[in-house]
Amino acid sequence: MTQRQGVKHVKLKGRSQDSTQRAAEAIRAAHPELESVTVVESEREAVENVEVLITGANASPKGSTEFPQVKGEWLSPGTLIIAPGATRFDDGFLINTRKVVDYMGLYDEWHHEYTTQVAYDQIGIIGSRMLKLQHDGHFPHEDLQQIGDIAAGRTPGRTSDDEIIVYSVGGMPVEDVAWAHDVYNYAVENNIGTSLNLWESPAAW
């Protein structure tokens, strides 16, 4: 909501009623311009008739069978799915919809370390499931597109108003570096925190 103007309604579905209600109250307080903030009881209620769907569940120790499930038939045409959290989509939907990842190298490394299905079960990032489907021959590798290529104009963005896009957010380390830089600068400017001398001079490589 801080990045996209015009949001009027928010729906939330969480595993814990208390924490979900607290999240709803925090959103209402931070964004009084919203017309409604509603806590719903099911995944289907949460995803029907929305333009932007953001997943945020943690992975389950029991694997992907315990992830919140979203069926493609519940989604409206044109839905943008931003998926940093553990979610289970039906394979047919993933095979036949637009698939974007933050950086392909991240998923390739998870595949080499865990294999794609184990990575999906343990980490919960939908891009690993996409890569498993690609490895199994359900679609060509070029169907997995990178957000950097879209931002740079090498790959087109949305191609129609009805196109459903699943954007897998695995979490790139460069984002952590950028955030740490902001946190450090804030601490210096406000004279807070503790300075730790980790080394007298950086190691030469």
Side-chain angles (χ1 to χ4, degrees):
M1 287 173 289
T2 63
Q3 302 300 311
R4 183 185 176 105
Q5 301 298 314
V7 175
K8 296 179 180 179
H9 305 280
V10 173
K11 295 191 287 184
L12 297 95
K13 166 66 175 75
R15 288 181 172 140
S16 161
Q17 186 71 13
D18 288 344
S19 64
T20 308
Q21 287 289 354
R22 289 197 302 271
E25 291 165 7
I27 291 171
R28 290 187 191 107
H31 298 278
E33 74 277 8
L34 290 171
E35 295 179 14
S36 69
V37 179
T38 307
V39 174
V40 299
E41 297 298 321
S42 70
E43 283 82 2
R44 181 168 186 165
E45 290 178 274
V47 307
E48 283 185 325
N49 302 311
V50 302
E51 294 180 54
V52 180
L53 166 62
I54 302 174
T55 68
N58 294 328
S60 167
K62 297 180 181 179
S64 57
T65 57
E66 297 295 314
F67 295 173
Q69 183 171 20
V70 173
K71 291 185 176 293
E73 63 205 56
W74 299 343
L75 299 168
S76 300
T79 302
L80 169 63
I81 303 164
I82 303 173
T87 313
R88 184 160 48 101
F89 296 94
D90 41 296
D91 287 345
F93 167 73
L94 288 176
I95 291 167
N96 294 296
T97 199
R98 179 83 179 272
K99 296 168 281 292
V100 180
V101 301
D102 36 3
Y103 177 58
M104 201 64 238
L106 190 65
Y107 300 87
D108 289 335
E109 288 303 315
W110 277 334
H111 168 67
H112 292 308
E113 185 170 351
Y114 298 102
T115 76
T116 46
Q117 184 59 43
V118 173
Y120 175 53
D121 283 333
Q122 293 189 359
I123 302 170
I125 305 299
I126 195 64
S128 288
R129 182 61 189 166
M130 295 174 179
L131 186 58
K132 173 70 164 61
L133 293 171
Q134 188 271 314
H135 285 173
D136 289 347
H138 292 287
F139 52 83
H141 192 268
E142 55 266 26
D143 279 8
L144 284 172
Q145 299 168 343
Q146 301 183 114
I147 192 66
D149 290 330
I150 293 173
R154 292 186 292 270
T155 298
R158 178 176 292 280
T159 60
S160 75
D161 291 342
D162 289 343
E163 184 177 49
I164 295 176
I165 301 171
V166 181
Y167 174 40
S168 177
V169 184
M172 295 172 62
V174 68
E175 296 170 348
D176 301 328
V177 174
W179 177 236
H181 182 261
D182 287 346
V183 171
Y184 174 76
N185 286 338
Y186 180 86
V188 170
E189 291 168 6
N190 292 276
N191 195 30
I192 57 177
T194 302
S195 178
L196 300 176
N197 187 29
L198 300 180
W199 48 70
E200 293 299 330
S201 61
W205 296 95

